[in-house]
Amino acid sequence: MSPQQDSRLESKSIAQPLAPFTYENQVYQAGLSGQKPPITFNCGDWEALAKDRLSADSFGYVWGSAGTRETDDNNKKAFKKWGIVPSRLVKSGFPDLKTTLFGETFDYPIAMAPVGVQRIFHPDGEIASAKAAEQENVTYILSTASATSIEDVAKANGNGSRWYQLYWPLSENNDITVSLLSRAKASGYKVLVVTLDTYILGWRPSDLNNAYNPFIRADDIGVALGFSDPVYRRKFQEKHGKPIEEDVQTAAAEWAHTVFPGLSHGWEDLKFLQEHWDGPIVLKGIQTVADAKKAVAYGMQGIVVSNHGGRQQDGGIASLDVLPEIVDAVGNDLEIIYDSGVRSGADIIKALALGAKMVLIGRPYIYGLAIQGEQGVRHVLKSLLGDFNLTLHLSGISSVSPKHLNRSVLRRTGN
Ligand SMILES: Cc1cc2nc3c(=O)[nH]c(=O)nc-3n(C[C@H](O)[C@H](O)[C@H](O)COP(=O)(O)O)c2cc1C
Ligand SMILES: O=C(O)C(=O)c1ccccc1
C-alpha cells in the first residue's frame, strides 16, 4: 500500500461549524414533545423489520445470495478488518461531503444501487425510491429489471440526479438496446451503468427453496421496461402475430431471455454502446486489476467495483478486498465507484478511504422501502448520511476529498 500523507492537520477551512437542521437534531427535538421515531436507527435491525413485513418469497429475494453465501459474508467481514483512526484538535467544522465525478459535483458520495422488481417489496416500488432519491439529493440508478418504466421513474425523480443501468441484450437485439438507451437519454438519465456479472441469475438457494423468480411471473412486475418499449412490442407482434397483452406470459419469458440471455458479451462489443450513448459509461461488476485495465483500454469512464452483493458467484472474495489494488492500478484513469456489503456510515468512510469516489447503497434502502415505502427509503438514506457525517467529523476528517479521506485514516486490524 502506498504511504499517503495524513493532511488532516493541514486543514485550514472551517467548513460549517454547526449543522442545526440535521436528521438527528430533528429527532431529538421531536422527542421533547414525546414523539418517538417510527423506524429504528439501528441499521442492523432493518433487515429483520423488512422480513416481518414481506412475504417469504419477497424477503428471500432481497436477502438471497449465491450458494453458501460465502461471498456475501466475506463482503461484510471485509469492512471489519479496517478501523478508522481519529485525529484530535482538528479545528474543521462539519465535513464537506461533496464529490465530483464525470465533471459533475454531487452533494454526497453515495448513490442508490440499481435494484430490480421493486414492486415486490412495496406497491409504490421504484416510484417511492426515485422520489426519496430526489428529496434527499442522492443519485438514483434505475435497473433494466425495474417494475416501473424509464419514463415514469424519471417523472417521479423530477429534478433529481439519475443514471440508467443496462442489462445488455445480445447483438441480435441491438435495436432493443438502442431503444432503451435513447429512452433513458430522452428521460434525463446522465450516466450509463452496464452490469457485467448478471447475464444469467446466480444459484440462489433461497429463491430455489421458494420456487420463486419474480422475473418470470405471469405479470409485468419485472418486465415494465420491455412491455413499455416500442421496439420490443413491435418485434413481439411481428413474431407472434399478436400484441403482448394477448400473451403476457410468453412476452414476459421472452423479455427475460432478452435481457438475461445466459451468455456474456465480449470487450469488443462495448464499441456499440459507445456509438449509441454520448455520456459517461461505467462497467459494474469489476473485481480484478486486469479487467479494470481493460475498462481503461476500451475507453470507459468508470467502473463499479462490485460482486453484486454476493448474489451471483459463491466462494468469491470480498469486493472491498480488491478495491485498493484496483485503485492503485487505474485510479487516475477512470472514476471508481464501490458497492457490496455497505451497511453503515463507517462502511461508507472505509470504501472512500480505500479510494472509491462514490459508494452504492443496495439492500439497506430496499429494507427501508419494505418497511415504509418512500418514507422508509428516506429514513435509511438520512440515517446513513447522518451517521457518515458525524463519524467523519468525529474522526477529524474535514472532507471526502482524497486529500483528507485516504488510507492514512485506516488501520488494518485483521486478515
Ligand atoms: C433485490 C436486488 C435486486 C438487484 N437488482 C439489480 C439489478 O437489477 N441490476 C444490477 O446491476 N444490480 C442489481 N442488484 C445488485 C445491486 O445493484 C448491488 O450491487 C448490491 O445490492 C450490493 O450489495 P449489498 O446490497 O449487499 O450492499 C440487486 C440487488 C438486490 C439485493
Ligand atoms: O436479483 C438480482 O441481483 C438482479 O440483478 C435482478 C435480476 C432480475 C430481476 C431483478 C433483479
Side-chain angles (χ1 to χ4, degrees):
M1 196 185 300
S2 65
Q4 271 167 296
Q5 181 73 30
D6 184 340
S7 58
R8 284 175 288 187
L9 302 181
E10 295 163 16
S11 169
K12 297 219 172 48
S13 70
I14 302 213
Q16 301 144 8
L18 281 175
F21 301 116
T22 61
Y23 195 29
E24 63 272 20
N25 285 349
Q26 286 172 17
V27 171
Y28 294 135
Q29 283 295 325
L32 292 177
S33 50
Q35 287 177 54
K36 296 291 179 212
I39 304 176
T40 180
F41 283 85
N42 299 331
C43 50
D45 292 344
W46 293 332
E47 179 180 300
L49 275 178
K51 187 175 185 181
D52 288 346
R53 285 190 173 60
L54 291 174
S55 69
D57 288 351
S58 296
F59 179 74
Y61 195 71
V62 57
W63 174 82
S65 273
T68 63
R69 307 183 67 85
E70 193 176 307
T71 311
D72 190 6
D73 289 343
N74 286 342
N75 281 339
K76 285 147 190 168
K77 280 190 212 140
F79 283 93
K80 311 276 180 247
K81 295 189 286 190
W82 294 101
I84 304 164
V85 286
S87 287
R88 303 301 181 209
L89 297 174
V90 179
K91 286 172 84 174
S92 57
F94 274 92
D96 180 357
L97 304 182
K98 288 193 171 58
T99 187
T100 302
L101 282 90
F102 314 118
E104 192 184 338
T105 299
F106 297 84
D107 282 353
Y108 307 115
I110 67 167
M112 289 155 76
V115 169
V117 295
Q118 291 189 22
R119 274 176 25 219
I120 70 171
F121 308 116
H122 190 277
D124 298 341
E126 289 83 3
I127 297 289
S129 297
K131 283 185 176 169
E134 187 197 18
Q135 292 298 316
E136 301 308 330
N137 285 342
V138 170
T139 294
Y140 183 73
I141 310 180
L142 175 69
S143 161
T144 295
S146 169
T148 312
S149 78
I150 294 176
E151 294 77 12
D152 289 348
V153 170
K155 217 183 285 166
N157 188 238
N159 292 321
S161 161
R162 51 188 174 269
W163 299 356
Y164 175 66
Q165 177 264 324
L166 180 68
Y167 276 134
W168 188 4
L170 292 177
S171 57
E172 68 255 29
N173 286 315
N174 272 349
D175 49 355
I176 292 176
T177 302
V178 170
S179 179
L180 291 171
L181 298 186
S182 63
R183 290 170 66 195
K185 200 76 201 165
S187 288
Y189 296 78
K190 295 281 187 289
V191 173
L192 177 63
V193 178
V194 187
T195 298
L196 304 182
D197 54 21
T198 310
Y199 38 89
I200 193 166
L201 287 187
W203 180 260
R204 299 180 186 170
S206 52
D207 301 330
L208 292 163
N209 291 340
N210 291 329
Y212 179 72
N213 180 338
F215 213 62
I216 56 167
R217 283 164 47 137
D219 59 23
D220 66 349
I221 205 96
V223 294
L225 267 57
F227 282 25
S228 60
D229 192 83
V231 176
Y232 181 65
R233 294 183 69 85
R234 175 176 51 73
K235 285 179 99 169
F236 187 88
Q237 172 82 43
E238 279 166 14
K239 181 172 168 197
H240 297 280
K242 56 185 169 186
I244 279 171
E245 284 70 24
E246 282 180 25
D247 191 351
V248 169
Q249 194 153 358
T250 304
E254 288 189 0
W255 177 251
H257 189 66
T258 303
V259 289
F260 298 109
L263 238 156
S264 174
H265 283 273
W267 287 93
E268 64 284 0
D269 300 322
L270 290 169
K271 198 163 177 299
F272 180 80
L273 297 181
Q274 287 166 314
E275 284 164 7
H276 291 91
W277 181 264
D278 63 9
I281 305 182
V282 174
L283 301 183
K284 178 170 181 276
I286 298 294
Q287 289 289 273
T288 68
V289 167
D291 280 352
K293 285 185 172 166
K294 278 193 192 140
V296 175
Y298 280 85
M300 297 294 108
Q301 283 69 43
I303 54 175
V304 185
V305 174
S306 163
N307 57 26
H308 211 98
R311 295 164 67 81
Q312 287 299 96
Q313 176 209 38
D314 193 22
I317 120 173
S319 196
L320 194 75
D321 284 344
V322 297
L323 178 61
E325 65 205 48
I326 292 177
V327 168
D328 288 343
V330 299
N332 292 326
D333 303 318
L334 41 61
E335 305 290 14
I336 298 180
I337 299 168
Y338 176 83
D339 84 25
S340 294
V342 176
R343 296 292 179 274
S344 66
D347 289 350
I348 299 169
I349 293 175
K350 291 174 189 180
L352 295 174
L354 292 176
K357 275 230 183 141
M358 191 170 259
V359 171
L360 309 186
I361 308 302
R363 288 176 176 102
Y365 90 81
I366 297 300
Y367 294 141
L369 176 66
I371 295 165
Q372 210 188 342
E374 181 186 341
Q375 292 310 318
V377 177
R378 291 186 67 182
H379 175 77
V380 165
L381 295 175
K382 285 191 285 192
S383 297
L384 290 174
L385 284 170
D387 176 17
F388 170 58
N389 190 31
L390 279 179
T391 307
L392 270 178
H393 191 22
L394 289 167
S395 304
I397 300 168
S398 60
S399 84
V400 300
S401 146
K403 181 170 188 280
H404 301 118
L405 180 51
N406 55 50
R407 289 176 209 178
S408 70
V409 310
L410 297 184
R411 162 103 37 104
R412 187 81 175 167
T413 55
N415 282 306

